Amino acid sequence: MTAPAGAVTSKSGSRVYPVQGVPMPSANSVLSSLDRPAINGWKAKNIAKGVAADPHLQKLALEGKEWAAQQGALDAVPSDKADLGTAVHLATEIYDRFGCRDEAMFAVEELRWEWTPKRREWVSLDSVAAHLDQWILARRRFGIVPVLIEATVCHATAEYAGTMDRAVEIDL
């Protein structure tokens, strides 16, 4: 995926948003410096599972190469959940912009062909369609109307910025 509109890469390689000529770090960069117990717990669980299941990673750990064993275990975590999230995010964004389910699914199909050479598998289009259909139903049921999609926002006082997925109005 490409960087959000308005974002640029700094000399150090991190994402920044120029706000009135001042480069502000992305919200994700700021958040990455905070302790996030849920993510740390997820990592610890997957490292333990990965090392326990892989004799090569066990050997690395026993040789004092814990970092390599840890990274190997995390790299082996299947990316199907993240891939599904990426595909559903794209489908709902296209639907919200253009109001056409077929166009949204076509965009996901295009992403599938862009990613397939890099990955062994891709999420099923039926799974993406099911999530998209739930979003369309929720929009109708709750009167959800997107007013901003993928908009750059900033917190000028705290000096960070980011891209907001959606801002919506709800007409109950």
Side-chain angles (χ1 to χ4, degrees):
M1 303 296 290
T2 59
V8 296
T9 303
S10 71
K11 291 178 185 174
S12 67
S14 62
R15 182 177 291 169
V16 297
Y17 291 81
V19 177
Q20 297 179 345
V22 177
M24 292 191 182
S26 73
N28 286 340
S29 296
V30 173
L31 289 172
S32 69
S33 67
L34 302 176
D35 184 30
R36 297 180 291 173
I39 289 177
N40 293 338
W42 176 88
K43 284 181 180 179
K45 178 179 79 171
N46 282 285
I47 290 167
K49 282 182 179 178
V51 172
D54 187 330
H56 173 68
L57 296 178
Q58 293 170 15
K59 183 177 182 225
L60 286 173
L62 291 171
E63 292 173 349
K65 300 175 182 171
E66 296 90 352
W67 179 255
Q70 171 184 316
Q71 290 307 115
L74 289 175
D75 289 345
V77 174
S79 62
D80 59 336
K81 299 282 190 287
D83 289 347
L84 177 60
T86 297
V88 170
H89 180 97
L90 175 64
T92 58
E93 177 185 338
I94 297 299
Y95 181 82
D96 287 349
R97 286 185 189 277
F98 305 107
C100 179
R101 183 186 183 281
D102 289 343
E103 191 167 338
M105 291 306 299
F106 179 77
V108 172
E109 182 68 20
E110 289 296 306
L111 182 65
R112 170 190 243 189
W113 292 116
E114 177 185 324
W115 280 32
T116 299
K118 300 174 190 169
R119 298 214 196 312
R120 285 174 279 144
E121 298 178 15
W122 179 245
V123 298
S124 82
L125 293 176
D126 290 341
S127 180
V128 176
H131 283 80
L132 177 59
D133 291 342
Q134 287 298 310
W135 174 241
I136 293 168
L137 180 66
R139 281 193 53 178
R140 285 187 196 132
R141 182 174 181 195
F142 299 108
I144 299 171
V145 178
V147 292
L148 292 175
I149 301 170
E150 296 295 324
T152 299
V153 294
C154 76
H155 190 301
T157 305
E159 297 184 346
Y160 68 88
T163 303
M164 177 172 40
D165 292 337
R166 307 271 194 309
V168 301
E169 291 178 349
I170 300 177
D171 183 23
L172 293 177

